[in-house]
Amino acid sequence: MNHSNVMSLLVACLVAALPCAAVAQSAATPSITPVAQWNRLEFDLDKTAQTAYDKNQTYKKVLLQGTKVDADGNIYATTARWGGPEVPATLSKLVKKDGKWVLQPYPSVAMNRVGDPKALQAVLGIEIDRNGVMWILDQGHVGGKPSQPGSQKLVLWDIKQNKELQSFTFDDSLADSKCSFLNDVVVDNDRDVAYITDSGIFCDPLKGGLIVYDRKTNTARRVLSDTVFTTDQTGFRFRIDNRDVTPDKPMRTGADGIALSGDKKTLYWTNLSSHALYSLDTALLRDPKTSEAALRTAVKNVATLPSNADGMVADRDGNLYLTALELNGILRWDHVTGKFSTVVIHPDMSWPDTIGFGPNGHLYVSSGHLNRFVDTSMDFDHPTSPNFTIWDIGTNSRSYLAK
């Protein structure tokens, strides 16, 4: 770790009121490679659509969010339509066109059609399980407006067979059409269960919560809704690149990053506007007889994070990898020692968003300068560094999804 990285880490410790010994330097620095970079996101469009995209400067409304990699090494990206219905697609596969990476609407243009609740409207979180099934979490909200009936959903798509296997629609009891912000999803293939975070950002107070989905019965239940465990930390503010994030009004976001331990016994999550890492026994979450009161009592405050986190993932051994927004990097939490160490800190990894394993044991991370996007200071023409990047980090671990 170089001097500037050490200083950044020490500053983060002080900001978080943590003893700096709680964060250790990694034994070895892994390789870090930008797989794809853009100043503005480009899609695989026909000539008419491309002309409109350029003329209307639609690219200024498009933000890179999630990224995941399948068993064949194909990379997928999400661009939730926060900027409005003009965004050409909300889920895409990276393909090369004229020697450059572009986003090809996935599974098809039709499946990305705006206004059709059966199509994908605003996808943020996805997961690709060990059977090659993509679990697609559709927020439903386009341009921040209330979701249309049927648009908030979980779609299971078989990548190899290129077909939908099943889907589940979240009604208002599970995800409020106005307040919800379905954020991320993790999958337990052993039990056909998925766990979902809802950040609940569109209402005040926030309506954050967790959702447990059972694929076998195609049912779901919401837990820990509107609790201290799924909402923001009072007065929380944070800085990225020496600038306050949304300085005029603090960003408030509830349950966000989520990870499932390798043995599938423990669920971890964080609230974006907080430094707390929480966990719960999944046996309690899966049992519909477990009362809400019992769940609240069972929640563990596992650790205080050196930086607030957006995405996170567990390896097969139960360790966590977390994106560190205040550090521009990735942290590792050892589930045995409870200590944090740095995986990588990079000045261009501004707002690392989602994180997941590729088939090679490497971590893939998307970063997209969300802080600049939301305060409208993003330069799409001549930025000092690329606005959007998908990174390959040369770790040597197995995903929590591995057998």
Side-chain angles (χ1 to χ4, degrees), residues 236-350:
F236 185 86
R237 301 190 75 118
F238 65 106
R239 293 171 63 84
I240 294 178
D241 299 332
N242 297 316
R243 295 173 54 182
D244 284 331
V245 175
T246 57
D248 296 333
K249 185 178 182 181
M251 180 176 286
R252 300 181 58 211
T253 306
D256 189 325
I258 189 168
L260 186 60
S261 62
D263 61 11
K264 316 301 186 295
K265 293 181 179 180
T266 307
L267 184 73
Y268 299 93
W269 74 94
T270 63
N271 303 314
L272 180 69
S273 303
S274 169
H275 283 126
L277 174 65
Y278 296 108
S279 75
L280 247 180
D281 187 329
T282 56
L284 296 175
L285 285 165
R286 293 194 311 272
D287 185 355
K289 296 180 181 178
T290 307
S291 68
E292 179 71 14
L295 288 175
R296 295 185 186 189
T297 301
V299 173
K300 295 179 181 178
N301 193 331
V302 178
T304 301
L305 302 174
S307 163
N308 64 327
D310 194 335
M312 63 177 179
V313 68
D315 65 20
R316 190 64 184 83
D317 297 324
N319 307 300
L320 298 182
Y321 292 86
L322 309 94
T323 66
L325 303 190
E326 292 158 301
L327 290 172
N328 288 22
I330 306 297
L331 297 177
R332 180 182 183 273
W333 176 77
D334 189 299
H335 83 287
V336 176
T337 66
K339 293 183 178 180
F340 290 92
S341 60
T342 59
V343 177
V344 65
I345 294 176
H346 194 290
D348 291 340
M349 193 179 287
S350 187

Side-chain angles (χ1 to χ4, degrees), residues 387-403:
N387 288 323
F388 310 110
T389 303
I390 295 176
W391 305 88
D392 176 333
I393 301 175
T395 52
N396 187 26
S397 297
R398 292 189 303 154
S399 168
Y400 79 99
L401 288 160
K403 290 185 179 180

Side-chain angles (χ1 to χ4, degrees), residues 67 323 330 352-355 363-367 389-391 393:
T67 188
T323 66
I330 306 297
D353 197 315
T354 62
I355 181 170
L363 285 170
Y364 288 80
V365 183
S366 59
S367 63
T389 303
I390 295 176
W391 305 88
I393 301 175

Side-chain angles (χ1 to χ4, degrees), residues 7 47 65 74 81 121 167 171 186 248 307 335 340:
M7 290 305 296
K47 186 175 181 179
Q65 283 122 350
N74 297 305
R81 291 185 169 106
Q121 301 302 293
S167 65
D171 62 22
V186 290
D248 296 333
S307 163
H335 83 287
F340 290 92

